[in-house]
Coordinates of all heavy atoms in Angstrom, one line a residue:
S178 N -53.2 41.8 79.5 CA -53.6 42.3 78.2 C -52.8 41.6 77.1 O -53.0 41.8 75.9 CB -53.2 43.9 78.0 OG -51.8 44.0 78.2
N179 N -51.8 40.6 77.5 CA -51.1 39.8 76.6 C -51.8 38.4 76.3 O -52.7 38.0 77.0 CB -49.8 39.5 77.3 CG -48.9 40.8 77.3 OD1 -48.9 41.7 76.6 ND2 -48.0 40.7 78.4
L180 N -51.3 38.0 75.2 CA -51.9 36.6 74.8 C -50.7 35.7 74.7 O -49.6 36.0 74.1 CB -52.4 36.6 73.4 CG -53.1 35.3 72.9 CD1 -54.2 34.9 73.7 CD2 -53.4 35.4 71.4
L181 N -50.7 34.5 75.4 CA -49.6 33.5 75.3 C -50.0 32.4 74.4 O -51.2 31.9 74.4 CB -49.4 32.9 76.8 CG -49.1 33.9 77.9 CD1 -49.0 33.1 79.2 CD2 -48.1 34.8 77.6
L182 N -49.1 32.1 73.5 CA -49.4 31.0 72.5 C -48.3 29.9 72.6 O -47.2 30.1 72.4 CB -49.3 31.6 71.1 CG -50.2 32.8 70.7 CD1 -49.9 33.3 69.3 CD2 -51.6 32.2 70.8
T183 N -48.9 28.7 73.0 CA -48.1 27.6 73.2 C -48.2 26.6 72.0 O -49.4 26.3 71.7 CB -48.4 26.8 74.5 OG1 -48.2 27.7 75.6 CG2 -47.6 25.6 74.7
P184 N -47.2 26.3 71.2 CA -47.4 25.3 70.1 C -48.0 24.0 70.8 O -47.6 23.6 71.8 CB -45.9 25.1 69.6 CG -45.2 26.4 70.1 CD -45.9 26.8 71.4
R185 N -48.9 23.4 70.0 CA -49.6 22.2 70.5 C -48.6 21.0 70.5 O -48.9 20.1 71.3 CB -50.8 21.9 69.6 CG -51.9 22.9 69.8 CD -53.2 22.5 69.1 NE -54.3 23.5 69.1 CZ -55.0 23.7 70.1 NH1 -55.0 22.9 71.2 NH2 -55.9 24.6 70.2
R186 N -47.5 21.1 69.8 CA -46.6 20.0 69.9 C -45.3 20.6 70.1 O -44.7 21.4 69.3 CB -46.6 19.2 68.6 CG -47.9 18.5 68.3 CD -48.0 17.7 67.0 NE -47.1 16.5 67.2 CZ -47.6 15.3 67.7 NH1 -48.9 15.3 68.2 NH2 -46.9 14.2 67.8
T187 N -44.6 20.3 71.2 CA -43.3 20.8 71.5 C -42.4 19.7 72.0 O -42.9 18.6 72.3 CB -43.4 21.9 72.7 OG1 -44.0 21.2 73.8 CG2 -44.1 23.1 72.3
P188 N -41.0 19.9 72.0 CA -40.1 18.8 72.5 C -40.6 18.2 73.9 O -41.0 19.0 74.7 CB -38.8 19.5 72.5 CG -38.9 20.6 71.5 CD -40.3 21.0 71.6
Q189 N -40.5 17.0 74.0 CA -40.9 16.3 75.3 C -40.2 16.9 76.4 O -39.0 17.1 76.5 CB -40.7 14.8 75.2 CG -41.2 14.1 76.4 CD -41.0 12.6 76.3 OE1 -40.3 12.2 75.4 NE2 -41.7 11.9 77.3
G190 N -41.0 17.3 77.5 CA -40.3 17.9 78.7 C -40.1 19.4 78.6 O -39.7 19.9 79.7
A191 N -40.2 20.0 77.5 CA -40.0 21.3 77.4 C -41.1 22.2 77.5 O -42.2 21.8 76.9 CB -39.2 21.7 76.1
T192 N -41.0 23.5 78.0 CA -42.1 24.4 78.0 C -41.7 25.5 77.0 O -40.6 26.0 77.1 CB -42.3 25.0 79.4 OG1 -42.6 24.0 80.3 CG2 -43.4 26.1 79.3
W193 N -42.6 25.9 76.1 CA -42.2 26.8 75.1 C -43.5 27.7 74.7 O -44.5 27.1 74.4 CB -41.8 26.1 73.8 CG -41.5 26.8 72.6 CD1 -41.5 28.2 72.5 CD2 -41.0 26.3 71.4 NE1 -41.1 28.6 71.2 CE2 -40.8 27.4 70.5 CE3 -40.8 25.1 70.8 CZ2 -40.3 27.3 69.2 CZ3 -40.4 24.9 69.6 CH2 -40.1 26.0 68.8
Y194 N -43.4 28.9 74.9 CA -44.6 29.8 74.6 C -44.1 31.1 74.1 O -43.1 31.7 74.5 CB -45.6 29.9 75.8 CG -45.0 30.6 76.9 CD1 -45.2 31.9 77.2 CD2 -44.5 29.8 77.9 CE1 -44.7 32.6 78.3 CE2 -43.9 30.4 79.1 CZ -44.0 31.8 79.3 OH -43.6 32.4 80.4
Y195 N -44.9 31.8 73.2 CA -44.8 33.2 72.8 C -45.6 34.1 73.6 O -46.7 33.7 74.1 CB -45.3 33.3 71.4 CG -44.5 32.5 70.3 CD1 -44.9 31.2 69.9 CD2 -43.3 32.9 69.8 CE1 -44.3 30.5 68.9 CE2 -42.5 32.2 68.8 CZ -43.1 30.9 68.4 OH -42.4 30.2 67.5
T196 N -45.2 35.4 73.8 CA -45.9 36.5 74.3 C -46.2 37.5 73.3 O -45.3 37.9 72.6 CB -45.3 37.0 75.5 OG1 -45.0 36.0 76.5 CG2 -46.2 38.1 76.1
V197 N -47.6 37.8 73.2 CA -48.0 38.8 72.1 C -48.7 39.9 72.9 O -49.6 39.6 73.7 CB -49.0 38.1 71.0 CG1 -49.4 39.2 70.1 CG2 -48.3 37.0 70.4
N198 N -48.4 41.1 72.5 CA -49.0 42.3 73.3 C -50.5 42.6 72.7 O -51.0 41.9 71.7 CB -48.2 43.4 73.4 CG -47.9 44.1 72.0 OD1 -48.6 43.8 71.0 ND2 -46.9 44.9 71.8
D199 N -51.0 43.6 73.2 CA -52.4 44.0 72.9 C -52.6 44.5 71.4 O -53.7 44.7 71.0 CB -53.1 44.9 73.9 CG -52.3 46.1 74.1 OD1 -51.2 46.3 73.5 OD2 -52.8 47.0 74.8
I200 N -51.5 44.8 70.8 CA -51.5 45.2 69.4 C -51.0 44.2 68.5 O -50.5 44.5 67.4 CB -50.9 46.7 69.2 CG1 -49.4 46.6 69.5 CG2 -51.6 47.7 70.0 CD1 -48.6 47.8 69.3
D201 N -51.0 43.0 68.9 CA -50.7 41.8 68.1 C -49.2 41.8 67.7 O -48.9 41.1 66.7 CB -51.6 41.7 66.9 CG -53.0 41.4 67.2 OD1 -53.3 41.0 68.4 OD2 -53.9 41.7 66.3
A202 N -48.3 42.4 68.5 CA -46.9 42.3 68.1 C -46.3 41.3 69.1 O -46.5 41.3 70.2 CB -46.3 43.7 68.3
L203 N -45.4 40.5 68.5 CA -44.6 39.5 69.3 C -43.6 40.3 70.1 O -42.8 41.0 69.7 CB -43.8 38.5 68.3 CG -42.9 37.5 69.0 CD1 -43.7 36.6 69.9 CD2 -42.1 36.8 68.0
T204 N -43.7 40.0 71.5 CA -42.7 40.7 72.4 C -41.9 39.7 73.1 O -40.8 40.0 73.7 CB -43.6 41.4 73.4 OG1 -44.4 40.6 74.2 CG2 -44.3 42.5 72.9
G205 N -42.1 38.3 73.1 CA -41.3 37.4 73.8 C -41.4 36.0 73.4 O -42.5 35.6 72.8
L206 N -40.3 35.2 73.7 CA -40.4 33.7 73.5 C -39.7 33.2 74.7 O -38.6 33.6 75.0 CB -39.7 33.4 72.2 CG -39.3 31.9 72.0 CD1 -40.6 31.1 72.0 CD2 -38.4 31.6 70.8
S207 N -40.3 32.2 75.4 CA -39.7 31.6 76.5 C -39.6 30.1 76.3 O -40.5 29.4 75.9 CB -40.6 31.9 77.7 OG -40.1 31.2 78.9
V208 N -38.4 29.6 76.5 CA -38.1 28.2 76.4 C -37.5 27.6 77.6 O -36.5 28.2 78.1 CB -37.3 27.8 75.0 CG1 -37.0 26.3 75.0 CG2 -37.9 28.5 73.8
E209 N -38.1 26.6 78.2 CA -37.5 26.0 79.4 C -37.4 24.5 79.1 O -38.4 23.8 78.8 CB -38.4 26.2 80.6 CG -38.6 27.7 81.0 CD -39.4 27.9 82.2 OE1 -39.9 26.9 82.7 OE2 -39.8 29.1 82.5
A210 N -36.2 24.0 79.3 CA -35.9 22.5 79.3 C -35.3 22.1 80.5 O -34.2 22.4 80.9 CB -34.9 22.3 78.0
P211 N -36.1 21.2 81.3 CA -35.6 20.8 82.6 C -34.3 20.0 82.4 O -34.1 19.3 81.5 CB -36.8 19.8 82.9 CG -38.1 20.3 82.3 CD -37.5 20.8 80.9
D212 N -33.5 20.3 83.5 CA -32.2 19.6 83.5 C -31.2 20.2 82.5 O -30.1 19.6 82.4 CB -32.2 18.1 83.6 CG -33.1 17.5 84.5 OD1 -33.1 18.0 85.7 OD2 -33.9 16.6 84.3
Y213 N -31.7 21.2 81.7 CA -30.7 21.6 80.7 C -30.5 23.1 80.8 O -29.4 23.6 80.9 CB -31.0 21.3 79.3 CG -30.0 21.5 78.3 CD1 -28.8 20.8 78.2 CD2 -30.1 22.7 77.5 CE1 -27.8 21.1 77.3 CE2 -29.0 23.1 76.7 CZ -27.9 22.3 76.6 OH -26.9 22.6 75.8
G214 N -31.6 23.9 80.7 CA -31.5 25.3 80.8 C -32.8 26.0 80.4 O -33.8 25.4 80.2
D215 N -32.7 27.3 80.3 CA -33.9 28.1 79.8 C -33.4 29.4 79.1 O -32.3 29.8 79.4 CB -34.7 28.6 81.0 CG -34.0 29.4 82.0 OD1 -33.9 30.6 81.8 OD2 -33.3 28.9 83.0
I216 N -34.1 29.8 78.1 CA -33.8 30.9 77.3 C -35.0 31.8 77.2 O -36.1 31.3 76.9 CB -33.3 30.6 75.9 CG1 -31.9 29.9 76.0 CG2 -33.2 31.8 75.0 CD1 -30.8 30.8 76.3
N217 N -34.9 33.0 77.5 CA -36.0 34.0 77.3 C -35.5 35.1 76.3 O -34.5 35.7 76.4 CB -36.3 34.7 78.7 CG -37.0 33.9 79.6 OD1 -38.0 33.3 79.5 ND2 -36.3 33.6 80.8
V218 N -36.4 35.2 75.2 CA -36.1 36.1 74.2 C -37.1 37.2 74.1 O -38.3 36.9 74.2 CB -36.0 35.3 72.7 CG1 -35.7 36.3 71.7 CG2 -35.1 34.2 72.9
T219 N -36.6 38.4 74.1 CA -37.5 39.5 74.0 C -37.3 40.2 72.6 O -36.2 40.3 72.1 CB -37.4 40.6 75.1 OG1 -35.9 41.0 75.1 CG2 -37.6 40.0 76.5
F220 N -38.4 40.7 72.0 CA -38.4 41.3 70.7 C -38.9 42.7 70.9 O -39.9 42.9 71.5 CB -39.3 40.6 69.7 CG -38.8 39.1 69.5 CD1 -39.6 38.2 70.3 CD2 -37.9 38.8 68.7 CE1 -39.2 36.8 70.1 CE2 -37.5 37.4 68.6 CZ -38.2 36.5 69.2
S221 N -38.2 43.7 70.4 CA -38.6 45.2 70.5 C -38.4 45.9 69.1 O -37.8 45.3 68.2 CB -37.9 45.8 71.6 OG -36.4 45.7 71.5
D222 N -38.9 47.1 69.1 CA -38.8 48.0 67.9 C -39.4 47.2 66.7 O -38.9 47.2 65.7 CB -37.4 48.3 67.6 CG -36.7 49.1 68.8 OD1 -37.4 49.8 69.5 OD2 -35.5 49.0 68.9
V223 N -40.7 46.7 67.0 CA -41.3 46.0 65.9 C -41.9 47.0 65.0 O -42.5 48.0 65.4 CB -42.6 45.2 66.6 CG1 -43.4 44.5 65.4 CG2 -42.0 44.1 67.5
I224 N -41.7 46.9 63.7 CA -42.1 47.8 62.7 C -42.8 47.0 61.6 O -42.7 45.8 61.4 CB -40.9 48.6 62.1 CG1 -39.9 47.7 61.3 CG2 -40.2 49.3 63.2 CD1 -38.9 48.5 60.6
Q225 N -43.6 47.8 60.8 CA -44.3 47.2 59.6 C -43.4 47.2 58.4 O -42.9 48.3 58.1 CB -45.5 47.9 59.4 CG -46.4 47.3 58.3 CD -47.1 46.0 58.5 OE1 -47.2 45.7 59.7 NE2 -47.5 45.3 57.6
T226 N -43.1 46.1 57.8 CA -42.2 46.1 56.6 C -43.1 45.5 55.5 O -44.2 45.3 55.6 CB -41.0 45.1 56.9 OG1 -41.4 43.8 56.9 CG2 -40.3 45.4 58.2
V227 N -42.4 45.4 54.3 CA -43.1 44.9 53.1 C -43.5 43.5 53.4 O -44.4 42.9 52.6 CB -42.3 45.1 51.8 CG1 -42.0 46.5 51.5 CG2 -41.0 44.3 52.0
A228 N -42.9 42.8 54.4 CA -43.2 41.4 54.6 C -44.0 41.4 55.9 O -44.2 40.2 56.5 CB -42.0 40.6 54.8
G229 N -44.6 42.5 56.3 CA -45.4 42.5 57.6 C -44.5 42.8 58.8 O -43.4 43.3 58.7
N230 N -45.0 42.5 60.0 CA -44.3 42.8 61.2 C -42.9 42.1 61.3 O -42.8 41.0 61.0 CB -45.1 42.4 62.4 CG -46.3 43.4 62.7 OD1 -46.3 44.4 62.1 ND2 -47.0 43.1 63.7
A231 N -41.9 42.8 61.8 CA -40.6 42.3 62.1 C -40.0 43.1 63.2 O -40.3 44.3 63.3 CB -39.7 42.4 60.8
A232 N -39.1 42.5 64.0 CA -38.5 43.1 65.1 C -37.1 43.5 64.7 O -36.3 42.8 64.3 CB -38.5 42.1 66.4
A233 N -36.9 44.8 65.1 CA -35.6 45.4 64.8 C -34.5 45.0 65.8 O -33.3 45.1 65.6 CB -35.6 46.9 64.6
R234 N -35.0 44.5 67.0 CA -34.0 44.1 68.0 C -34.5 42.8 68.7 O -35.7 42.6 69.0 CB -33.9 45.2 69.1 CG -32.9 44.8 70.2 CD -32.8 46.0 71.3 NE -31.9 45.6 72.4 CZ -30.6 45.7 72.4 NH1 -30.0 46.3 71.4 NH2 -29.8 45.4 73.4
M235 N -33.5 41.9 69.0 CA -33.8 40.7 69.6 C -32.8 40.6 70.8 O -31.6 40.7 70.6 CB -33.7 39.5 68.7 CG -33.9 38.1 69.4 SD -33.8 36.8 68.2 CE -32.0 36.7 68.0
D236 N -33.3 40.3 72.1 CA -32.3 40.1 73.1 C -32.7 38.7 73.7 O -33.8 38.3 73.9 CB -32.7 41.1 74.3 CG -32.2 42.5 73.9 OD1 -33.0 43.3 73.3 OD2 -31.0 42.9 74.2
A237 N -31.6 37.9 73.9 CA -31.7 36.6 74.5 C -30.9 36.5 75.8 O -29.7 36.9 75.9 CB -31.2 35.5 73.4
N238 N -31.5 35.9 76.9 CA -30.9 35.8 78.1 C -31.4 34.4 78.8 O -32.5 34.1 78.6 CB -31.4 36.9 79.1 CG -31.0 38.3 78.7 OD1 -29.8 38.7 78.9 ND2 -31.8 39.1 77.9
G239 N -30.5 33.8 79.4 CA -30.8 32.6 80.0 C -29.6 31.8 80.4 O -28.5 32.3 80.6
T240 N -29.8 30.5 80.7 CA -28.7 29.6 81.2 C -28.8 28.3 80.2 O -29.9 27.7 80.2 CB -28.8 29.2 82.6 OG1 -28.9 30.4 83.4 CG2 -27.7 28.3 83.0
V241 N -27.7 28.0 79.6 CA -27.6 26.8 78.8 C -26.4 26.0 79.2 O -25.3 26.5 79.1 CB -27.6 27.2 77.3 CG1 -27.5 25.9 76.5 CG2 -28.8 27.9 77.0
A242 N -26.6 24.7 79.6 CA -25.6 23.9 80.0 C -24.6 24.6 81.0 O -23.5 24.6 80.9 CB -24.8 23.5 78.8
S243 N -25.3 25.2 82.0 CA -24.6 25.8 83.1 C -23.8 27.1 82.7 O -23.1 27.6 83.5 CB -23.6 24.8 83.8 OG -24.3 23.7 84.3
K244 N -24.1 27.6 81.6 CA -23.5 28.9 81.1 C -24.5 29.9 81.1 O -25.6 29.7 80.4 CB -22.8 28.7 79.7 CG -21.5 28.0 79.7 CD -20.4 28.9 80.3 CE -19.0 28.2 80.1 NZ -17.9 29.1 80.7
N245 N -24.2 31.1 81.6 CA -25.2 32.2 81.5 C -24.9 32.8 80.2 O -23.8 33.2 79.8 CB -24.9 33.2 82.6 CG -25.3 32.7 84.0 OD1 -26.3 32.0 84.1 ND2 -24.6 33.1 85.0
I246 N -26.1 33.0 79.5 CA -26.0 33.7 78.1 C -26.8 34.9 78.1 O -27.9 35.0 78.7 CB -26.7 32.6 77.1 CG1 -26.0 31.2 77.1 CG2 -26.6 33.2 75.7 CD1 -24.5 31.3 76.6
S247 N -26.2 36.0 77.6 CA -26.8 37.2 77.3 C -26.3 37.9 76.0 O -25.1 38.1 75.9 CB -26.6 38.2 78.5 OG -27.3 39.4 78.2
A248 N -27.2 37.9 75.0 CA -26.8 38.4 73.7 C -27.9 39.2 73.0 O -29.1 39.0 73.4 CB -26.4 37.2 72.9

Side-chain angles (χ1 to χ4, degrees):
S178 61
N179 293 329
L180 181 68
L181 306 183
L182 297 177
T183 301
R185 292 189 183 276
R186 300 180 72 83
T187 58
Q189 184 177 13
T192 299
W193 179 359
Y194 62 91
Y195 297 98
T196 301
V197 181
N198 66 14
D199 57 357
I200 58 172
D201 293 341
L203 176 65
T204 60
L206 168 63
S207 178
V208 180
E209 298 178 7
D212 303 322
Y213 189 79
D215 61 88
I216 291 289
N217 291 295
V218 183
T219 58
F220 303 96
S221 55
D222 299 333
V223 176
I224 67 172
Q225 183 72 18
T226 72
V227 297
N230 282 354
R234 182 179 175 89
M235 178 180 77
D236 292 89
N238 295 276
T240 304
V241 177
S243 300
K244 282 285 184 181
N245 291 327
I246 304 294
S247 181

